[in-house]
Amino acid sequence: EIILKSILQTDSWNVSMRYIMPAFTVFLRACLAKKLPIIEENKSNVVQIFTSLLNLRVDDSAFELLVDLLTNFDMTAHFKEIFIAIFTRMHNDKQQGKSRTQNFGRGFFYFLSAYIVSYGPETLIQLCEKIQPGLIFASIDSENAKLRVVRSKNQRKIVTVAFSKLLFQQFASFKQEVWINIFDNIVGMLRLGERTLITQESTDVSFADTETQISLRSDSFQRLNQCELPPSSLCGDVEDEKVFFMTTLVEAMNHVQGLKDTITQNLKPATSELLQKFCQQTGITL
């Protein structure tokens, strides 16, 4: 508890501690999973820690912490602050000419998906429209190619379920070109399946000096940093994300005005071919 109280002090999460932040985040996530009362009392501090990680570009750790916070605690009062922090980071990167990492895009979609599964796509849009009209659609469009690099099976399942809801339930809210690009990348993500997509980037940890490298090699640091936490319980009833996607797509094509025409007339040939393969694999007919 003494260690946790120290970690919850937001001034501990500064640039001088950047190299050890991923390990500290694993410890904090483990405490979130236990739903400790001290976390409930300091939720605002955890949100500030997320913002610090995000601003320091420790992106994987930032979004994994955020999803665990969303999953284990009622964060309704803090979501506007959280989304403003994310949109501010995206705006600042654009203004400064910085490219966002794949870690950011992957984490961004993981968090959005966890939110959609928990609260619904309409709630997401309503909240973000209050911050700035159209911003959520522009933000998704700017990162949508990174849907293909969602890393783990558990995250792919959550993203598939969430974006099936978003794309089909909120079809009329999207510009057609944006909708098609997102749909293409969801299909691409499902095609890639369990394959290793990319070499893990090293953007989360800065090896600035010899002392840092020595610290990172310590047994205690490695055990903490490599600790495996249980996967999110979100979408635990979905066994196969591809079957879920195809089943939801067929149902939506029968009920959502204009969706069937978009699927049959406007998709890229490669995407249409993949859908036909999915039909063969799942036994589901469009």
Side-chain angles (χ1 to χ4, degrees):
E1 186 173 337
I2 294 175
I3 296 174
L4 179 56
K5 286 181 178 179
S6 177
I7 287 177
L8 286 171
Q9 298 301 310
T10 56
D11 55 3
S12 300
W13 298 76
N14 55 59
V15 67
S16 66
M17 298 296 289
R18 187 175 186 270
Y19 70 92
I20 203 169
M21 283 181 181
F24 277 3
T25 303
V26 171
F27 178 81
L28 184 52
R29 289 176 62 205
C31 295
L32 291 176
K34 292 180 179 294
K35 301 183 180 181
L36 298 177
I38 189 174
I39 302 292
E40 178 68 39
E41 296 164 4
N42 290 275
K43 288 189 297 186
S44 59
N45 285 37
V46 182
V47 172
Q48 291 180 49
I49 289 169
F50 159 74
T51 303
S52 295
L53 289 167
L54 197 67
N55 291 338
L56 291 169
R57 305 176 74 82
V58 192
D59 294 328
D60 266 351
S61 295
F63 284 109
E64 286 169 354
L65 176 68
L66 188 56
V67 170
D68 286 350
L69 191 59
L70 178 156
T71 305
N72 291 293
F73 295 89
D74 180 5
M75 298 302 297
T76 305
H78 299 275
F79 280 130
K80 184 176 181 180
E81 177 186 356
I82 289 168
F83 276 103
I84 287 175
I86 295 170
F87 293 145
T88 299
R89 160 70 188 278
M90 297 175 83
H91 173 77
N92 290 342
D93 281 352
K94 183 176 181 180
Q95 291 295 107
Q96 297 167 15
K98 294 180 179 178
S99 59
R100 284 184 291 278
T101 66
Q102 288 181 329
N103 289 345
F104 178 92
R106 180 169 53 231
F108 174 62
F109 285 123
Y110 182 36
F111 165 65
L112 277 190
S113 299
Y115 184 94
I116 291 169
V117 169
S118 299
Y119 296 95
E122 186 175 358
T123 304
L124 170 72
I125 293 172
Q126 289 175 349
L127 173 61
C128 293
E129 288 295 289
K130 291 178 181 178
I131 297 173
Q132 182 177 319
L135 184 56
I136 186 61
F137 298 104
S139 300
I140 292 173
D141 187 38
S142 70
E143 298 294 315
N144 83 81
K146 293 169 186 170
L147 279 164
R148 293 175 181 253
V149 299
V150 174
R151 187 165 51 185
S152 72
K153 180 175 177 59
N154 184 62
Q155 290 186 10
R156 281 198 307 275
K157 182 188 296 185
I158 294 170
V159 170
T160 300
V161 171
F163 273 79
S164 295
K165 294 175 182 288
L166 180 64
L167 289 175
F168 304 147
Q169 293 180 18
Q170 299 296 321
F171 176 74
S173 300
F174 284 89
K175 294 179 180 178
Q176 186 179 78
E177 182 181 358
V178 173
W179 190 96
I180 289 172
N181 286 338
I182 297 169
F183 186 88
D184 284 342
N185 283 304
I186 290 292
V187 172
M189 179 190 71
L190 291 170
R191 177 182 67 85
L192 290 171
E194 294 291 342
R195 290 168 51 190
T196 301
L197 307 181
I198 56 171
T199 301
Q200 178 64 34
E201 295 174 300
S202 59
T203 53
D204 271 2
V205 181
S206 176
F207 301 94
D209 52 52
T210 303
E211 181 180 354
T212 297
Q213 293 183 40
I214 292 171
S215 298
L216 287 172
R217 294 192 190 105
S218 70
D219 290 341
S220 59
F221 181 94
Q222 291 295 344
R223 284 197 299 271
L224 184 56
N225 198 35
Q226 295 173 10
C227 173
E228 292 188 7
L229 294 171
S232 170
S233 60
L234 294 172
C235 306
D237 58 337
V238 176
E239 295 184 4
D240 188 304
E241 59 266 28
K242 192 178 294 182
V243 171
F244 178 91
F245 178 77
M246 294 299 294
T247 302
T248 308
L249 173 59
V250 170
E251 183 178 352
M253 287 175 66
N254 291 328
H255 295 94
V256 178
Q257 184 176 3
L259 178 58
K260 187 172 184 178
D261 289 341
T262 298
I263 294 294
T264 57
Q265 300 174 16
N266 298 304
L267 292 184
K268 297 176 182 177
T271 303
S272 297
E273 290 178 12
L274 283 174
L275 286 179
Q276 291 305 315
K277 289 183 180 179
F278 291 173
C279 287
Q280 294 172 7
Q281 292 169 355
T282 62
I284 297 171
T285 303
L286 293 178

